[in-house]
Amino acid sequence: MKLWVNGGLHEAADARVSVLDHGLTVGDGIFETVKAVRGETFALTLHLERLTRSARGLGLPDPDLDEVRRACAAVLEANPMELGRLRITYTGGVSPLGSERGDAGPGLVVALGETRRRPDSTAVITVPWTRNERGALVGLKTTSYAENVVALARASEHGASEALFANTVGELCEGTGSNVFVVLDGRIHTPPVSSGCLAGITRALAVEWTGAVEKDLPLDVLEHAEEVFLTSTLRDVQAVHRVDGHELPGAPGPVTAKAMRVFDERAAADKDPRL
């Protein structure tokens, strides 16, 4: 396995970042996960656009996207695999201990890990913790993921692959690494970005390609939705067959199955779509 670290490729055993990197000491960093099928990325331009938005939101310099593309290409070429998770991490770089940034400049790491196609349906749970829709990091894909780690561990303990959060006013928000959609009266709905959820790339494509409605939804909508599904880079569109103890028999239902089919067809026709 070879990784790109701050300017070049390195064997995994020799890849190093400083223990004083701000991304490690205080979580001062951003990242993107890109799906790669046989060395070909999906929606890379949209991911890089969001990487830049996240950098600006965190007050980091704009990433050099030409360098990021070179790094991605080098890592993909060096690590051939059928289905991969391409991870781009951009950090505050070497800095003093504490919250103040240093002047060494940002760090860039690109790595690739092998993965498998997700099952057509999965189980999820809801958790008692909330997303803060008014927080400083709303909408930014940062490396500050500890609360997601805790929630996902709770999901695993309950035989689920994802945990869903409400926001501070009790509205359905998002999963630890996914966006959530519900079917009501045959129509697809999803929380708006104003709910505090991440503006997921797959979410945005699914909204455009399926005609989903963005709408504030109470958390308990999950109890009476006809169908529920998740979207993310590696899930694409994935049906939900259980929410907490509530079963959704027959998942994927007809609306979700159509959304899965439409997404697969559109994604196959255009590997670098625009919005």
Side-chain angles (χ1 to χ4, degrees):
M1 178 68 69
K2 291 187 176 181
L3 293 75
W4 182 281
V5 181
N6 295 331
L9 281 175
H10 300 268
E11 294 288 346
D14 301 319
R16 298 285 186 272
V17 294
S18 171
V19 296
L20 297 178
D21 190 290
H22 231 208
L24 173 65
T25 57
V26 297
D28 179 24
I30 56 176
F31 75 99
E32 288 291 326
T33 298
V34 183
K35 183 172 66 175
V37 181
R38 295 182 291 278
E40 186 176 12
T41 57
F42 176 67
L44 181 60
T45 297
L46 291 176
H47 281 285
L48 295 186
E49 289 173 354
R50 188 173 63 182
L51 187 75
T52 299
R53 291 196 301 273
S54 292
R56 291 174 180 174
L58 210 57
L60 293 170
D62 282 5
D64 180 341
L65 298 188
D66 289 336
E67 180 188 7
V68 177
R69 286 183 180 275
R70 286 195 301 272
C72 291
V75 169
L76 288 166
E77 182 178 6
N79 304 284
M81 61 185 65
E82 181 70 18
L83 181 60
R85 175 201 303 258
L86 185 67
R87 160 87 180 217
I88 305 164
T89 307
Y90 185 69
T91 74
V94 176
S95 301
L97 294 174
S99 297
E100 183 180 1
R101 289 195 183 112
D103 56 10
L108 174 65
V109 176
V110 179
L112 183 69
E114 195 163 12
T115 187
R116 297 179 181 178
R117 187 183 185 277
R118 86 292 183 270
D120 283 344
S121 72
T122 191
V124 304
I125 66 167
T126 55
V127 291
W129 311 294
T130 60
R131 290 296 203 219
N132 180 4
E133 72 279 3
R134 300 176 64 186
L137 302 183
V138 170
L140 310 182
K141 196 169 179 69
T142 78
T143 58
S144 301
Y145 246 50
E147 70 174 16
N148 290 330
V149 172
V150 172
L152 196 56
R154 168 82 64 98
S156 181
E157 292 168 1
H158 288 80
S161 75
E162 182 59 300
L164 302 181
F165 294 88
N167 61 18
T168 64
V169 293
E171 296 167 343
L172 180 63
C173 187
E174 64 177 349
T176 67
S178 67
N179 292 106
V180 58
F181 290 70
V182 299
V183 177
L184 303 169
D185 296 324
R187 190 77 187 273
I188 302 172
H189 298 74
T190 193
V193 174
S194 59
S195 71
C197 69
L198 182 72
I201 302 301
T202 309
R203 172 194 178 277
L205 293 172
V207 167
E208 181 168 304
W209 293 348
T210 69
V213 175
E214 297 178 87
K215 181 180 179 181
D216 291 326
L217 301 162
L219 183 63
D220 65 8
V221 72
L222 296 169
E223 298 174 8
H224 56 82
E226 296 145 26
E227 302 174 36
V228 179
F229 64 84
L230 307 175
T231 62
S232 75
T233 290
L234 297 178
R235 295 177 190 267
D236 293 330
V237 176
Q238 184 183 36
V240 171
H241 61 253
R242 175 168 56 85
V243 180
D244 296 324
H246 173 58
E247 298 286 342
L248 291 157
V255 178
T256 301
K258 181 179 180 181
M260 295 167 73
R261 184 174 64 254
V262 168
F263 189 91
D264 287 347
E265 291 172 353
R266 295 289 296 264
D270 186 356
K271 297 298 185 183
D272 200 25
R274 303 295 197 274
L275 291 169

